[in-house]
Amino acid sequence: MLTLGIETSCDETALAVYDPNKGIVAEAVYSQIDLHAIYGGVVPELASRDHCQKILPLFESNILNTININDIKLIAYTAGPGLGGALLIGESFAQGLAAALNIPVIGVNHLEGHLQAPFLGKNKVQFPLLTLLVSGGHSMIIDVEGIGKYNILGESRDDAVGEAFDKVAKLLNLRYPGGPEIEKLAKNGIKGTHKFPIPLSDKDTYDMSFSGLKTSVLYALQDMSEPTDQDKADIALAFQDSATEALAVKVRKAMIKTKRKLLVCTGGVAANTVLRSKLIAISKEAEADILFPELKHCTDNAAMIAYTGYLRRDLASQSYKSLVRSRWPLKMLTEIHG
Ligand code: KG4
Ligand code: ZN
């Protein structure tokens, strides 16, 4: 039984096919990064139009060259959260194809997709576990007791950490998406040149905050008449240290409290190597295992959507009504699904 996964919630047009016996057997991602780079962020209308133009050719050339269309027995697509227009392109494609093939569809929550991404290709998942979900839209610490059992311990009160990386990158005149650019630039930075605050680190909460940190970077830049490349690298390093430490402080606290023996980190920011090493150190302190998705499955992809749709297949249906929701918090996960 093959499950086709479709992801169009933001600026990646992604398709993948999951086979429960073999794992991911076909996968394609078309990134719109170049289209949006000059605007310093994703332009929703351009994203929808581009998904519309790319999705069918991507399916024909990169998926149907590997599998037989009639072997697809379920279609899983991202129904939210994300950009409304962009999500509707994925849904229309999913439902049109499902109707033609006379098979069910399932609308998958993008965040649940990120939560499941680290387990792709793994045999048995050891619940309960603690997950740090860090992306362009979310920063959350979640106590996971099983599939669908997500207890959110803390989240960002303002910007998501990935969003902060993107905004600071813009201040430094770096390309979008900012995370990888800041990580690269920070390698040339001199430690200790700047010290930014570690937001909410001394507060008795698992919540996080990143907008003040971004403002501190802005003030540091305003103090310099013309920042040199070295100045920018020093700022990138200090920002990355504070942002990752702000996450690490809360994860350490949550690991001590919950005593979980598996720590998982997922989402686009999970690609950051400084964050990874801090989390590895925390897992050692807690005598816990640690798991990250493969690098290509940290950022948005359809493999995680196909896999999550397969896990949730009991909720699939052939009613083909629209399930798209630009806002779909994890805590309301049970509300829609088909
Ligand atoms: O999960 P994702 O692809 O999309 C959302 O669901 O938001 O995450 C994208 C975010 C962007 O904000 C990007 O700057 C960030 O992940 N990111 C990184 C790195 N790679 C991607 N942040 C820090 N370091 C990285 N290496
Ligand atoms: Zn995402």
Side-chain angles (χ1 to χ4, degrees), residues 6-320:
I6 300 173
E7 158 61 41
T8 62
S9 68
C10 192
D11 57 345
E12 257 93 35
T13 314
L15 300 170
V17 179
Y18 177 72
D19 177 335
N21 300 314
K22 298 182 188 157
I24 297 297
V25 290
E27 185 167 13
V29 183
Y30 176 81
S31 171
Q32 303 178 351
I33 282 177
D34 291 341
L35 180 69
H36 302 288
I38 52 166
Y39 303 101
V42 177
V43 183
E45 177 61 20
L46 293 183
S48 310
R49 287 188 209 181
D50 209 50
H51 285 309
C52 204
Q53 283 172 356
K54 299 292 171 2
I55 195 162
L56 184 57
L58 199 66
F59 181 62
E60 287 177 334
S61 342
N62 297 61
I63 301 294
L64 291 186
N65 59 348
T66 312
I67 60 140
N68 183 330
I69 196 165
N70 293 310
D71 292 339
I72 302 173
K73 299 296 175 210
L74 171 67
I75 301 184
Y77 66 94
T78 304
L83 304 171
L87 290 165
L88 281 168
I89 308 294
E91 180 176 72
S92 308
F93 184 78
Q95 296 191 349
L97 184 59
L101 295 173
N102 195 20
I103 58 173
V105 290
I106 176 162
V108 170
N109 181 296
H110 181 83
L111 301 177
E112 185 169 40
H114 276 304
L115 288 184
Q116 297 302 335
F119 309 117
L120 266 168
K122 303 279 178 299
N123 286 332
K124 181 123 178 59
V125 182
Q126 230 34 67
F127 294 112
L129 51 93
L130 192 86
T131 297
L132 174 68
L133 195 169
V134 273
S135 69
H138 296 85
S139 314
M140 292 175 154
I141 296 176
I142 307 164
D143 194 31
V144 181
E145 284 181 29
I147 294 164
K149 293 184 183 157
Y150 310 123
N151 177 22
I152 300 165
L153 301 181
E155 55 194 318
S156 176
R157 293 181 181 174
D158 39 57
D159 292 352
V161 62
E163 189 180 356
F165 268 92
D166 295 336
K167 287 181 174 170
V168 167
K170 209 168 172 179
L171 293 175
L172 295 171
N173 282 328
L174 301 173
R175 262 174 70 92
Y176 172 85
E181 298 294 314
I182 289 193
E183 182 170 6
K184 211 176 344 154
L185 184 62
K187 292 202 167 89
N188 304 327
I190 300 165
K191 227 177 165 54
T193 314
H194 295 275
K195 186 129 185 65
F196 295 129
I198 299 166
L200 298 184
S201 60
D202 54 347
K203 297 279 182 296
D204 190 21
T205 169
Y206 298 106
D207 280 353
M208 295 152 273
S209 159
F210 296 96
S211 74
L213 180 55
K214 173 200 66 195
T215 310
S216 304
V217 171
L218 178 67
Y219 290 157
L221 279 166
Q222 281 172 348
D223 284 345
M224 300 169 179
S225 50
E226 226 168 279
T228 61
D229 287 350
Q230 187 60 53
D231 289 333
K232 289 183 184 177
D234 295 343
I235 286 180
L237 176 66
F239 164 76
Q240 179 175 251
D241 275 352
S242 291
T244 53
E245 194 54 31
L247 297 168
V249 165
K250 300 300 173 176
V251 170
R252 185 177 292 112
K253 195 173 151 79
M255 284 298 279
I256 292 170
K257 170 86 180 149
T258 61
K259 301 189 174 61
R260 296 305 181 216
K261 288 295 155 206
L262 178 57
L263 174 60
V264 176
C265 179
T266 189
V269 185
N272 187 281
T273 50
V274 175
L275 177 62
R276 283 187 176 220
S277 47
K278 288 184 179 180
L279 296 178
I280 289 168
I282 291 171
S283 70
K284 282 190 182 139
E285 283 162 31
E287 295 178 356
D289 291 327
I290 186 154
L291 189 61
F292 300 95
E294 268 186 73
L295 270 186
K296 66 175 175 182
H297 295 146
C298 286
T299 43
D300 290 349
N301 65 87
M304 67 185 194
I305 302 301
Y307 178 56
T308 306
Y310 173 78
L311 295 176
R312 293 279 205 172
R313 60 195 177 281
D314 289 351
L315 299 167
S317 96
Q318 275 186 262
S319 70
Y320 308 142

